[in-house]
């Protein structure tokens, strides 16, 4: 399935056009001026100096950048990104004008070459640093490709102007026109808004030196630095090889026209590449795939050059590939890779100042030594270019994990860690809770006991609390003491057998039964209260492992039980604590009374055998019994699991039961449960059941280390993304018809669609959370709906990088998800989705299509809404509708 269908060459959205056009022309004019300067520089240099002098140029450029970069960083901090670029453009213009007035001696030509390289590096770096502060990560992905084409167009304009000028003027005349390009770019750059272009922050004012240790520890920055070093080294090798071959293949009078025409042809090709390939590549393979394109092509080109013996044609093609990649795909990928890095000015300053320039200097020194050797050969240089490009490719292959981690770190800043597990009580908290046990308010005492019990500190509850006056406190304390291994309460508890309240007396007997205190129970068999005598006898029978006689419902003891069934509930609780062999039979008999069903379910969840499985499955439909029934089914193991699977496929199973089976299967936490849930998600006919299976898988992903196959999840991700786009397109079409959308019946359809759209969005986040357990996907989706533009952009890029892999299927899923989450106007999103989900042109045709929807409610509401489109409102009906729609 081809989910990528570009909507237009330039995806510039409302509110972005004015800023985009300004920076586009700033880059175009800057590159036009540089291309003119570069043509004059190359021609004058190779006409007056030998090619081996280029090695000294590389060293001088590296040393010059070591001096200029700190000055540039200070200028950017003080003046801001926009003003720093304006100043640099003006300096470039004045310096170029000065060179125009000098005679082209060997020294002046050498200095011009160094200046041209330094100015281009500085200006282009400043421009992209400024642009990176103006656009978010998501905007960068869309706009950097078209924006880079501005540089290519500028290069075409500069090369075209150079070609024409060289027909009627000397080479040095190109410098005059270059001055005009730089001045025009500076003037236009001064019109760029300042609000988000200021890069200076307090953090950025710290010295760059401490960043060295950070660079070594940060795998992402380390790889970016390695890529910068390897790419500049490969570029230098290719550049020297190219210029050396040109110098030996052409006469001096042929150099100027050749360079001008070469630049023109190269940049026309780059523009075609930019317009037809770059945007598609970015959307198709993502940022990380884009970063691997240039080194892959250069590795192949370098290898081919070495095999061909560094022939002139192949070397020119290699240089053209390097230049085209560097000005289009390479530049876009570099800027997008830096997008998630905070404090780019400092990080990039470090790479530019130390890594890139040191590499450039070393490459120049190595080349200088190589050219002085008698064994130097252009073939060796081609091999070196291939090896360096191959190393660049290997480093790029390991970018994915640190790139995702960088977005993950940026998105997690400011988030609150939530831990819902009971925390350990400190000494002060314990003192407060123990103090609360002596307060007169019974609710405070019970709350303190509950907190201590939850934190497993119930031994701090003193036995003397059994002297408390409130019966609720006494009953809760007896429950806690009876289920513990403590013995310090037994004497005080026996005293409560004479308590005036019957509930307290029964609670005391029950506590002794739970504690297994046979001597006390034997003494209670002679008590004056017949209920206590009967219960003590029952408890003694249980503790002795004897079966209880007959059906408990026929016992004389229970004939006097009140409507609250106090005696029976007490009996069920004690039966659970010490179950006899026929406990399940007795409990199922007690379940015949509706008032006892909940208590029976809870007891069967703890002591039931396989014969209670059908009963527990039926209790899944009741919210207050569901957890107990689920716990009991899990305890019974494989027989219960098979019974649940059978109930899911049984047409006689009530829907109220069926919709809760998936979550119950998940509670088994086994590989079989994972397989069953995946099968339900893929094939069940009911959406709610599939959703419950999805939640069950989410629980397993969160709480266990069970392996979950990704392909079914990816398929479901695509299905839900398409469903989201279908519903979104339908709603957009209806809302675009104002007269139809104002009708009450149609509005009900829109509200239902809104609800289903939100459900699809929720399913997408849950699926992604299962696929990527280590990430907080909920936080990422929260950022998508937030107001922070940069956080939204980071969230979009994070999701895109997270999903993409080396397979077409994962790329399709990523492209679909991006269409769902990208910042698009509603009509534009619907237009782009039309090829995937169909066209929803207007309200009437959309409602016609919804008549065939798989959801019964959607079909029914659409059926009622269609006739309303043909009815006009009368004044009376309008008044009545206003009353209905008016908020209470």
């Amino acid at each position: 399935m081809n989910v990528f269908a570009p909507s237009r060459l330039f995806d510039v959205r409302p509110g972005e056009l004015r800023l985009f056009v300004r920076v586009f022309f700033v880059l175009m004019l800057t590159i036009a001026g540089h291309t003119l300067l570069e043509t004059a520089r190359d021609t004058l240099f190779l006409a007056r100096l030998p090619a081996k002098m280029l090695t000294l140029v590389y060293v001088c450029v590296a040393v010059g950048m070591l001096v200029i970069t700190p000055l540039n960083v200070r200028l950017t901090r003080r003046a801001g990104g926009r003003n720093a670029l304006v100043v640099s453009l003006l300096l470039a213009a004045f310096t170029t004008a000065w060179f125009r007035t000098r005679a082209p001696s060997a020294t002046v030509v050498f200095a011009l070459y160094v200046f041209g390289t330094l100015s281009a590096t500085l200006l282009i770096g400043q421009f992209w640093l400024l642009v990176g502060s103006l656009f978010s990560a998501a905007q960068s992905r869309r706009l950097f490709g078209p924006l880079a084409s501005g540089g290519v167009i500028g290069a075409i304009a500069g090369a075209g102007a150079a070609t024409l000028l060289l027909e009627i003027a000397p080479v040095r005349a190109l410098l005059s026109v270059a001055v005009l390009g730089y001045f025009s770019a500076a003037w236009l750059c001064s019109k760029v808004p300042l609000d988000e272009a200021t890069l200076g922050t307090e953090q950025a004012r710290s010295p760059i030196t401490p960043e060295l240790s950070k660079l070594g520890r940060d795998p992402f920055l380390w790889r970016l630095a390695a890529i910068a070093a390897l790419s500049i080294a490969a570029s230098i090798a290719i550049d020297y090889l190219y210029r050396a071959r040109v110098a030996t293949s052409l006469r001096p009078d042929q150099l100027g026209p050749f360079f001008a025409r070469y630049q023109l042809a190269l940049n026309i090709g780059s523009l075609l590449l930019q317009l037809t390939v770059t945007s598609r590549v970015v959307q198709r393979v993502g940022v990380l795939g884009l970063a691997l394109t240039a080194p892959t092509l250069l590795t192949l080109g370098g290898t081919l050059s070495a095999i061909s013996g560094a022939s002139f044609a192949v070397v020119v093609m290699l240089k053209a590939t390097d230049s085209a990649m560097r000005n289009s795909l390479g530049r876009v990928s570099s800027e997008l890779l830096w997008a998630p890095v905070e404090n780019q000015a400092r990080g990039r300053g470090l790479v530019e100042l130390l890594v890139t320039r040191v590499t450039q200097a070393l490459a120049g020194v190595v080349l200088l030594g190589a050219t002085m050797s008698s064994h130097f050969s252009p073939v060796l240089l081609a091999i070196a270019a291939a090896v360096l490009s191959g190393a660049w490719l290997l480093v790029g292959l390991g970018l994915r994990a640190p790139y995702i981690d960088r977005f993950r770190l940026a998105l997690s800043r400011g988030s609150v860690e939530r831990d819902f597990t009971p925390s350990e009580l400190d000494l002060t908290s314990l003192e407060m809770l123990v103090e609360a046990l002596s307060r007169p308010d019974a609710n405070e005492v019970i709350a303190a006991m509950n907190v201590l019990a939850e934190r497993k500190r119930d031994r701090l509850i003193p036995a003397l609390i059994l002297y408390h006056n409130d019966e609720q406190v006494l009953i809760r304390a007896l429950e806690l003491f009876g289920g513990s291994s403590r013995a310090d309460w037994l004497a005080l508890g026996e005293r409560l057998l004479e308590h005036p309240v019957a509930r307290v007396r029964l609670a005391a007997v029950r506590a002794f039964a739970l504690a297994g205190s046979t001597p006390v129970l034997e003494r209670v068999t002679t008590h004056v209260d017949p209920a206590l005598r009967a219960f003590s006898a029952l408890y003694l029978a249980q503790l002795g492992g004897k079966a209880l006689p007959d059906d408990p419902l026929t016992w004389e003891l229970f004939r006097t039980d009140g409507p609250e069934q106090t005696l029976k509930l007490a009996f069920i609780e004690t039966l659970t604590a010490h179950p006899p062999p026929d406990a399940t039979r007795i409990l199922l008999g007690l379940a015949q009374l509706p008032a006892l069903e909940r208590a029976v379910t809870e007891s069967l969840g703890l002591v039931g055998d396989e014969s209670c499985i059908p009963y527990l499955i039926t209790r899944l439909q009741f919210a207050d019994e569901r957890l107990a029934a689920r716990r009991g089914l899990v305890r019974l193991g494989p027989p219960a699991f098979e019974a649940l699977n059978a109930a899911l496929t049984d047409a006689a199973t009530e829907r109220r039961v069926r919709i809760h089976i998936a979550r119950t299967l998940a509670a088994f936490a086994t590989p079989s449960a994972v397989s069953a849930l995946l099968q339900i998600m893929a094939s069940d006919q009911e959406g709610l059941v599939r959703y419950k299976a999805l939640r069950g898988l989410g629980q397993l992903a969160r709480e266990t280390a069970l392996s979950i196959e990704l392909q079914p999840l990816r398929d479901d991700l695509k299905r839900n993304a398409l469903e989201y786009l279908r519903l979104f397109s339908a709603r957009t079409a209806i809302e675009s018809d104002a007269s139809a959308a104002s009708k009450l019946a149609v509005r009900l359809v829109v509200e239902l669609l809104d609800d289903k759209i939100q459900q699809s969005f929720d399913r997408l986040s849950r699926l992604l959370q299962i696929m990527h357990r280590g990430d907080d996907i909920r936080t990422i989706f929260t950022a998508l709906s937030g107001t922070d533009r940069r956080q939204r952009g980071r969230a979009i890029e994070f999701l895109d990088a997270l999903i993409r892999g080396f397979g077409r299927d994962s790329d399709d899923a990523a492209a679909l998800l991006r269409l769902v989450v990208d910042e698009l106007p509603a009509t534009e999103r619907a237009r782009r989705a039309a090829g995937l989900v169909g066209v929803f042109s207007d309200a009437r045709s959309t409602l016609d299509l919804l008549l065939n929807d798989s959801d019964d409610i959607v079909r029914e509401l659409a059926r009622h809404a269609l006739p309303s489109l043909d009815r006009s409102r009368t004044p009376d009906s309008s008044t009545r509708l206003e009353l209905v729609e008016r908020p209470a």
Side-chain angles (χ1 to χ4, degrees):
M1 176 180 57
N2 181 16
V3 297
F4 172 65
S7 62
R8 57 187 67 169
L9 290 176
F10 297 98
D11 188 8
V12 182
R13 297 173 187 173
E16 299 172 343
L17 181 61
R18 187 175 182 184
L19 178 61
F20 175 84
V21 169
R22 286 181 178 177
V23 294
F24 180 92
F25 279 101
V26 168
L27 180 61
M28 189 188 77
L29 291 169
T30 301
I31 298 299
H34 169 68
T35 302
L36 288 160
L37 187 153
E38 184 181 28
T39 304
R41 177 199 72 179
D42 291 347
T43 303
L44 293 171
F45 187 93
L46 292 180
R48 287 167 172 77
L49 294 171
K52 66 173 59 179
M53 291 296 290
L54 286 170
T55 59
L56 291 178
V57 170
Y58 300 143
V59 175
C60 291
V61 168
V63 174
M65 287 305 300
L66 289 174
V67 175
I68 291 175
T69 300
L71 298 177
N72 176 45
V73 171
R74 291 176 185 173
L75 176 63
T76 302
R77 289 173 180 168
R78 291 179 181 275
R82 186 199 71 175
N83 294 336
L85 180 56
V86 170
V87 171
S88 298
L89 284 167
L90 291 175
L91 287 175
F94 285 119
T95 307
T96 303
W98 182 85
F99 276 110
R100 175 66 179 87
T101 63
R102 302 293 97 187
S105 63
T107 303
V108 170
V109 169
F110 185 90
L112 175 63
Y113 202 108
V114 172
F115 163 73
T117 306
L118 286 174
S119 62
T121 304
L122 180 66
L123 293 174
I124 294 173
Q126 282 184 332
F127 172 82
W128 286 105
L129 192 62
L130 170 64
V131 171
S133 71
L134 294 172
F135 299 111
S136 70
Q139 289 175 308
S140 301
R141 170 191 279 265
R142 290 186 290 104
L143 301 178
F144 277 11
L147 192 57
S149 66
V152 181
I153 292 173
I156 292 174
T163 302
L164 295 175
L165 281 171
L166 289 175
E167 297 290 336
I168 58 174
V171 172
R172 293 172 57 209
L174 302 181
L175 298 178
S176 301
V177 185
V179 172
L180 295 177
Y182 286 141
F183 271 124
S184 301
W187 174 81
L188 190 59
C189 184
S190 66
K191 305 300 181 181
V192 173
L194 267 175
D195 52 346
E196 293 188 73
T198 302
L199 299 176
T201 63
E202 293 301 319
Q203 189 176 7
R205 294 179 186 275
S206 59
I208 293 178
T209 306
E211 291 290 299
L212 283 172
S213 59
K214 182 179 179 181
L215 180 65
R217 295 191 306 268
D218 190 321
F220 185 63
L221 290 179
W222 180 88
R223 288 185 180 274
L224 287 183
I227 287 174
L230 291 168
S231 64
I232 195 67
S235 182
I236 287 174
I238 294 170
D239 183 72
Y240 182 82
L241 178 62
Y242 160 72
R243 297 186 192 282
R245 296 298 292 156
V246 169
T248 57
S249 302
L250 300 176
R251 298 189 309 272
D253 62 309
Q254 295 176 316
L255 293 175
F258 169 79
F259 282 125
R261 293 178 183 132
Y262 168 79
Q263 289 285 355
L264 181 61
L266 170 67
N267 288 293
I268 290 175
S270 296
L271 180 61
L272 294 175
L273 178 71
Q274 193 75 38
L275 296 179
T276 61
V277 176
T278 301
S279 296
R280 291 176 181 267
V281 170
V282 174
Q283 298 298 331
R284 179 70 267 174
V285 304
V287 176
L288 299 174
L290 183 67
L292 301 177
T293 305
T296 301
L297 294 177
L298 292 179
T299 302
L300 295 175
T303 303
L304 184 60
S305 296
I307 294 174
S308 69
S311 66
F312 179 76
V314 176
V315 169
V316 171
M317 289 299 299
L318 177 61
K319 173 61 179 176
T321 301
D322 178 50
S323 299
M325 291 294 102
R326 197 166 294 278
N327 293 331
S328 56
L329 293 177
R331 169 56 65 181
V332 174
S333 68
S334 174
E335 297 305 321
L336 290 176
L337 285 175
W338 277 100
V341 178
E342 297 181 357
N343 304 311
Q344 279 192 40
R346 185 167 57 178
R348 298 185 79 160
L350 173 67
V351 172
E352 290 291 327
L353 179 62
L354 295 179
V355 179
T356 304
R357 298 313 151 199
V358 169
T359 302
Q360 193 172 24
L362 288 175
V365 171
V366 171
L367 271 177
L368 181 61
T371 55
M372 294 180 178
S373 171
S374 59
H375 301 291
F376 176 74
S377 166
V379 175
L380 294 177
L381 206 54
I383 293 173
V387 171
L388 290 168
S389 299
W392 174 8
L393 178 61
L394 290 176
V395 174
L397 287 172
L399 267 174
R400 185 175 187 273
Y403 178 76
I404 292 174
D405 286 340
R406 178 61 60 169
F407 272 115
R408 185 181 291 123
L409 176 64
L411 287 166
S412 65
R413 294 190 185 278
S415 63
V416 179
E417 294 294 333
R418 293 169 293 176
D419 184 5
F420 298 105
T421 58
S423 58
E424 185 64 28
L425 295 170
D426 55 28
L427 182 59
T428 303
S429 300
L430 288 172
E431 290 176 350
M432 293 177 61
L433 288 171
V434 173
E435 179 187 350
L437 294 176
S438 60
R439 292 178 183 169
D441 189 334
N443 292 328
E444 293 186 26
V445 176
I446 293 173
M449 287 193 293
N450 289 338
V451 172
L452 289 169
E454 289 171 3
R455 268 61 172 190
K456 302 188 183 304
R457 295 300 188 93
D458 49 305
R459 295 192 68 87
L460 295 176
I461 302 174
L464 292 175
I465 202 165
L466 294 179
Y467 280 107
H468 203 283
N469 294 328
D470 188 88
E471 61 183 82
Q472 296 297 333
V473 172
L474 294 175
I475 292 172
R476 181 56 180 151
L478 288 167
E479 289 175 355
L480 295 174
F481 291 160
S484 70
S485 59
R486 297 173 57 173
D488 58 341
W489 64 277
L490 294 175
L492 296 174
E494 195 167 354
R495 168 181 164 273
L496 293 177
L497 293 172
E498 308 301 330
H499 197 277
V501 178
R503 292 177 59 209
V504 176
R505 295 197 300 270
L506 287 173
V509 176
R510 187 163 59 250
F512 284 119
L514 291 172
S517 182
T518 304
V520 176
L521 292 174
E522 289 176 346
R523 289 195 291 273
V524 176
T525 56
T526 62
H527 199 279
V528 295
D529 186 342
L532 293 188
R533 293 199 304 270
F535 268 101
S536 62
L538 292 174
Y539 297 150
L540 286 171
Q542 290 176 251
L543 293 173
K546 300 177 182 179
L548 298 178
D550 305 323
D551 185 351
L553 293 177
T554 65
W555 294 348
E556 184 72 22
L557 168 66
F558 295 140
R559 290 183 180 177
T560 59
D561 206 358
E564 296 182 356
Q565 309 291 343
T566 304
L567 294 177
K568 296 184 184 69
L569 291 173
F571 170 73
I572 291 172
E573 184 176 348
T574 307
L575 190 71
T576 305
H578 300 283
D582 57 347
T584 301
R585 178 188 65 80
I586 295 170
L587 289 169
L588 289 174
L590 292 171
Q592 297 175 24
L593 295 177
L596 301 180
E597 287 176 337
R598 179 177 178 181
V600 168
T601 302
E602 292 176 351
S603 296
L604 288 173
L606 298 172
V607 304
D609 57 32
E610 292 182 17
S611 63
C612 72
I613 290 176
Y615 173 82
L616 291 177
I617 290 177
T618 62
R619 307 316 292 176
L620 292 174
Q621 62 186 298
F622 301 106
D624 56 349
E625 300 180 40
R626 192 170 301 134
L627 292 178
R630 192 170 286 164
R631 181 176 61 242
L633 291 166
V634 171
R635 186 181 59 80
L636 293 171
F641 188 87
E642 295 301 325
L644 285 165
N645 271 322
L648 187 65
T649 57
D650 188 351
T653 304
E654 291 186 68
R655 182 179 182 274
R656 292 183 301 170
V657 174
R658 193 172 181 276
I659 60 178
H660 298 293
I661 290 179
R663 293 294 304 278
T664 307
L665 291 172
F668 284 81
T670 61
S672 297
V674 173
S675 299
L677 293 173
L678 289 173
Q679 180 63 29
I680 293 171
M681 284 177 54
S683 60
D684 200 276
Q685 298 300 312
E686 186 165 355
L688 183 55
V689 175
R690 296 196 301 271
Y691 178 68
K692 294 287 187 177
L694 174 60
R695 291 188 59 189
L697 280 175
Q699 177 184 342
L700 292 178
R702 184 173 60 253
E703 299 176 357
T704 73
L706 289 170
S707 176
I708 302 176
E709 188 181 354
L710 292 183
Q711 187 56 47
L713 297 175
R714 196 175 291 120
D715 292 341
D716 207 53
L717 180 76
K718 290 193 284 187
R719 280 196 299 271
N720 277 281
L722 288 171
E723 178 67 0
Y724 175 95
L725 294 171
R726 184 182 72 88
L727 296 169
F728 185 91
S729 300
R731 186 194 65 182
T732 302
I734 295 173
E735 290 185 329
S736 63
D737 188 340
S739 61
S742 64
K743 298 181 182 297
L744 180 59
V746 178
R747 284 177 54 186
L748 291 175
V749 175
V750 171
E751 290 176 6
L752 178 59
L753 292 177
D754 279 333
D755 184 60
K756 293 179 72 65
I757 288 170
Q758 188 56 46
Q759 290 176 18
S760 297
F761 200 68
D762 177 67
R763 286 185 173 93
L764 289 173
S765 70
R766 291 181 183 275
L767 284 164
L768 286 170
Q769 186 65 77
I770 297 169
M771 297 167 68
H772 304 281
R773 303 182 185 188
D775 292 294
D776 187 0
I777 300 297
R778 286 286 185 179
T779 299
I780 307 304
F781 271 67
T782 300
L784 289 174
S785 57
T787 57
D788 189 327
R789 176 175 62 88
R790 293 194 175 277
Q791 284 292 86
R792 288 199 309 272
R794 286 169 175 163
I796 293 170
E797 288 306 308
F798 174 81
L799 290 175
D800 187 84
L802 195 66
I803 298 173
R804 288 190 187 275
F806 293 102
R808 175 65 179 268
D809 195 58
S810 62
D811 288 346
D812 283 346
L816 266 176
L817 183 65
R818 189 172 193 94
L819 186 55
V820 169
V821 302
D822 211 350
E823 297 177 292
L824 286 167
T827 54
E828 177 64 16
R829 194 192 313 276
R831 190 183 71 80
R832 296 188 183 193
L836 303 170
V837 298
V839 177
F840 296 85
S841 56
D842 54 35
R844 182 179 297 278
S845 63
T846 298
L847 291 173
D848 279 331
L849 290 172
L850 293 179
L851 290 176
N852 299 315
D853 196 87
S854 59
D855 188 288
D856 294 340
I857 302 177
V858 173
R859 291 200 305 269
E860 189 65 19
L861 287 180
R863 187 175 66 81
H864 282 286
L866 266 173
S868 68
L869 298 181
D870 299 321
R871 294 196 301 265
S872 59
R873 291 185 185 179
T874 63
D876 291 341
S877 65
S878 298
T879 303
R880 288 195 297 270
L881 184 57
E882 289 175 4
L883 291 174
V884 170
E885 297 174 351
R886 185 180 301 164

